[in-house]
Amino acid sequence: MDQLAGSTYLERGSPATLLYKDADETLYVIDPGQGEDRPRRLRRDVEQLKPARVVAVLTHYHSDHLEALGRFSVDAVAAPARDAPMVRYPELRIYDTFGYPLPRDDGSLPFKTPPVAVSEEIPEGAAAYGPLSVYSLPGHTEGHTGYMTKDGVLYVGDALFGDRVIARYGFPYHRQPCRSLETLKRLGDLASRADRVVMSHGPLLKGGDVGPLLELNSQSLSRLEEIVRGLLSSPATLEEVALGVLSRLSIQELTVDVVMLLQETVKGFIGCMRERGEVEPLVGAKGLMWRRVA
């Protein structure tokens, strides 16, 4: 555990976990994370900090941010209201993440996270949760939320990814990528008000140093959108578009879950293009297809 500033601490990892101990002796554990060793490390942190109460605060519902809660006891769990149902029910979580109704123990899933009881839902538009400032950062999931401690440390979760993640997977996964592009535009101003910026999967940065990474994330998403738009110049199924994207990206780790996540990001772009009236659905011999409107 590293002390970042004042009462704010960091457990490094992927995802990283941010901890903040308030004056009332409550320890807020933002995104407990995953891994065999993470619960032990969090229990050690609790022993060192000696809080009267421990509250897990979630940025969103993805299993890699929740898995440690299966073996790390807390007094309460707080989650963004829009993401809370997926936190509670693994079946919804899996379907909304990957787009397929897979069983909880399916071998293609990288994380096997049980149901998580949500004690408190953080309402949309909330400015604070206890001592934490709350910021809506939608796109990665509909309810994705960031938090800033009183020490000026901003946790942006998966609204922003490190360069190694993008290099490894070839694209940043977002359920609603067009909204993520809007969030990235706002993150620069928000980060400039923070002393440190912590992302779930990426380096620890000073608030004024996030510009290049914001640009990389925006460029990666914009390039993916351009590829999808080009592939829809003629009717194509979702699978055909995803294969076309794969042929144009350099992905170091090509696994079943990565392809499913890519398909969901592609569907996200098709959804926002449909909302803007840029594509239309067609039914043909191949099933459901999409075509860009001239």
Side-chain angles (χ1 to χ4, degrees):
M1 179 175 63
D2 301 327
Q3 185 176 15
L4 296 185
S7 299
T8 303
Y9 305 85
L10 177 68
E11 273 293 351
R12 297 179 184 270
S14 186
T17 297
L18 196 69
L19 303 96
Y20 178 75
K21 186 179 179 183
D22 195 23
D24 70 353
E25 298 299 315
T26 298
L27 180 65
Y28 295 86
V29 180
I30 303 176
D31 282 4
Q34 58 86 24
E36 287 296 322
D37 196 43
R38 185 60 62 87
R40 183 193 65 80
R41 288 161 59 189
L42 292 176
R43 287 192 292 269
R44 179 197 60 194
D45 297 341
V46 171
E47 290 174 3
Q48 291 179 8
L49 296 172
K50 296 179 171 55
R53 187 167 177 262
V54 180
V55 178
V57 183
L58 307 176
T59 58
H60 62 294
Y61 60 79
H62 287 159
S63 290
D64 57 326
H65 296 251
L66 315 176
E67 195 261 351
L69 288 174
R71 292 164 290 136
F72 171 62
S73 298
V74 297
D75 297 294
V77 176
R82 282 188 177 270
D83 281 20
M86 280 68 76
V87 174
R88 292 187 175 103
Y89 303 109
E91 296 81 6
L92 292 179
R93 185 189 315 144
I94 293 168
Y95 180 75
D96 214 53
T97 302
F98 297 102
Y100 290 89
L102 301 172
R104 292 188 210 171
D105 59 351
D106 192 282
S108 63
L109 298 176
F111 307 103
K112 313 293 190 295
T113 307
V116 174
V118 176
S119 313
E120 187 171 357
E121 296 186 10
I122 301 173
E124 290 184 72
Y129 176 72
L132 304 173
S133 297
V134 175
Y135 301 97
S136 177
L137 303 174
H140 187 67
T141 67
E142 190 170 2
H144 189 284
T145 300
Y147 305 95
M148 190 185 297
T149 74
K150 289 185 177 180
D151 298 314
V153 180
L154 174 65
Y155 189 89
V156 299
D158 284 354
L160 182 67
F161 289 101
D163 54 348
R164 291 184 180 180
V165 174
I166 294 176
R168 181 177 182 181
Y169 296 104
F171 68 101
Y173 163 76
H174 293 290
R175 191 75 168 75
Q176 299 174 317
C178 293
R179 295 189 72 187
S180 289
L181 281 166
E182 295 171 1
T183 289
L184 287 167
K185 291 177 182 177
R186 295 189 290 106
L187 261 182
D189 177 65
L190 178 57
S192 69
R193 292 182 264 143
D195 293 324
R196 308 295 288 272
V197 174
V198 178
M199 63 197 80
S200 297
H201 310 277
L204 174 66
L205 297 174
K206 293 181 180 180
D209 294 341
V210 300
L213 207 49
L214 287 171
E215 183 65 21
L216 175 63
N217 278 254
S218 295
Q219 287 178 351
S220 298
L221 275 177
S222 296
R223 179 181 176 231
L224 183 55
E225 183 176 18
E226 289 175 7
I227 293 172
V228 171
R229 182 176 282 106
L231 290 167
L232 293 177
S233 59
S234 57
T237 65
L238 171 65
E239 288 75 17
E240 288 173 331
V241 176
L243 285 172
V245 171
L246 282 172
S247 70
R248 289 162 173 80
L249 294 181
S250 176
I251 300 179
Q252 297 177 13
E253 185 172 327
L254 192 59
T255 57
V256 171
D257 60 302
V258 170
V259 174
M260 289 192 293
L261 293 177
L262 175 63
Q263 287 185 345
E264 285 303 286
T265 303
V266 168
K267 280 198 284 188
F269 274 125
I270 291 175
C272 66
M273 291 168 68
R274 175 63 174 169
E275 186 176 354
R276 297 194 297 252
E278 297 175 359
V279 297
E280 61 182 1
L282 302 168
V283 176
K286 296 179 181 179
L288 179 63
M289 297 179 289
W290 296 90
R291 177 179 62 190
R292 199 172 75 227
V293 177

